[in-house]
Amino acid sequence: TDTPLSGAARGPAIAYDRSVVGATATTLYGIDTNSANLIRIGGVDGVPSADGGQVLQVGTTGVGLNASVSMAISPSTGIAYMSNPVSGGTTAIHTLNLTTGAGTAAGVVDGTLLDMVLLPPSTVQVAAASTRAAETAGAASITVSRTGDLRLPASVQYSTADGTARGASDFVATSGSLEFPAGVTSRVVQVPLIPDAIAETAETFTLTVSGATGGASLGGTTTTVTIDDAVVPVVPVVPPAVDRTAPKVLVLALAPRSAKVIGRAGVRATFSCSEGCTASARLLLGRTALGAVARTRLTAAGIGALRVTTTKLGQRRLTAALATARTHRARLTYELTVADASGNRRTVRLPLVAIG
């Protein structure tokens, strides 16, 4: 029902720019096979409307065109592409300058391509800029979503950062990677929360995603998590329901009160996986490893535990640190990393204090 194109133009190939969700304006372009020109149908940003059939000859493509020419404009880069079947059963691909109309050869594909569409880019982002969780919920759940072209796998890194809520006192500082297999649109990061019996106002921390791979780009990268206070007796944290998107830490180690105890008995943490997984752990003095446990594997869903004891050299380093510290105390970190079969990793770091 639209008005025919003006000026005897013949436009079998048309494409809108900015054809993405959320765009407030778009301009319609086409190929006039009578003149071999790039044309604009209607005005810039659709004013006047393309429905009126008004044609502006932008400029020559400089290409001998077949009647089956097609056109598409990338929603991510704004670059226009034209396919033009040629002799020998192949199709020539050109890019088009939307200001001058000039075509530039980009390559040739086998077969006769009759139409063309450019998929939107693959974008990974936090699903919401903010979320809330009750202090007694066990964990804060943060959804990370992926949109656009889902044909290839992708991944992102994630990590928490203190705000008014502090790691090790209000929540467990957490970092790792999220794997998105082809076709998967969302993953969930679980950040364990630590309840206490102290009345306090709502507190916040942030989770940030970074380092997208697999051709994906990043959208919104940071979400603010608000922990709503609830006064309860101090009890072990009840783990959230089993979630197959990431491994979980159920019970963390307690801080030994003596350097000798650390050396002899070590430090132990318990973890749980919703499927087969591997785990490793280290005991750190600053950035120096005092002891480590190589990968331990669970072949199926279940609970495992890792105990890290200091090596002889690690124990000597710990003893030396205690001897030189004015308070005869040393701050240690128990670092536990758990990975599931899909490659999703969770790393938790528990602060410890050794007393000489």
Side-chain angles (χ1 to χ4, degrees), residues 274-310:
S274 58
E275 56 186 320
C277 63
T278 58
S280 59
R282 300 190 300 169
L283 188 62
L284 303 174
L285 175 63
R287 295 185 179 181
T288 302
L290 302 180
V293 177
R295 287 187 175 184
T296 297
R297 178 168 180 79
L298 292 181
T299 58
I303 297 175
L306 288 180
R307 184 184 302 277
V308 181
T309 58
T310 59

Side-chain angles (χ1 to χ4, degrees), residues 74-92:
S74 170
S76 58
T77 66
I79 298 175
Y81 294 86
M82 175 180 68
S83 69
N84 183 38
V86 294
S87 60
T90 61
T91 301

Side-chain angles (χ1 to χ4, degrees), residues 210-232:
S210 62
T213 66
S217 60
L218 290 174
T221 59
T222 301
T223 185
T224 299
V225 181
T226 300
I227 304 174
D228 292 317
D229 180 59
V231 179
V232 296

Side-chain angles (χ1 to χ4, degrees), residues 7 12 36 56 99 102 107 119 153 175 194 203 222 255 262 288 330 350:
L56 171 69
T99 302
L119 294 175
S175 63
I194 303 174
E203 298 174 309
T222 301
I262 291 176
T288 302
L350 179 69

Side-chain angles (χ1 to χ4, degrees), residues 156-161 171-178 189-192 207-208 246-247 335-338 344-349:
V156 292
Q157 303 298 310
Y158 65 87
S159 61
T160 56
F171 66 96
V172 177
T174 306
S175 63
S177 66
L178 284 180
V189 176
Q190 300 274 359
V191 180
L207 181 134
T208 299
E335 181 182 84
L336 174 68
T337 300
V338 183
N344 298 307
R345 298 194 310 276
R346 179 177 300 283
T347 298
V348 293
R349 297 174 181 86

Side-chain angles (χ1 to χ4, degrees), residues 7 40 45 55 85 93 100 126 139 141 154 192 205 236 245 257 266 294 300 314 324 327:
R40 190 178 72 231
D45 294 341
V55 170
I93 306 296
T100 67
V126 292
S141 300
F205 67 91
T245 61
R257 300 295 294 175
T324 55
T327 60

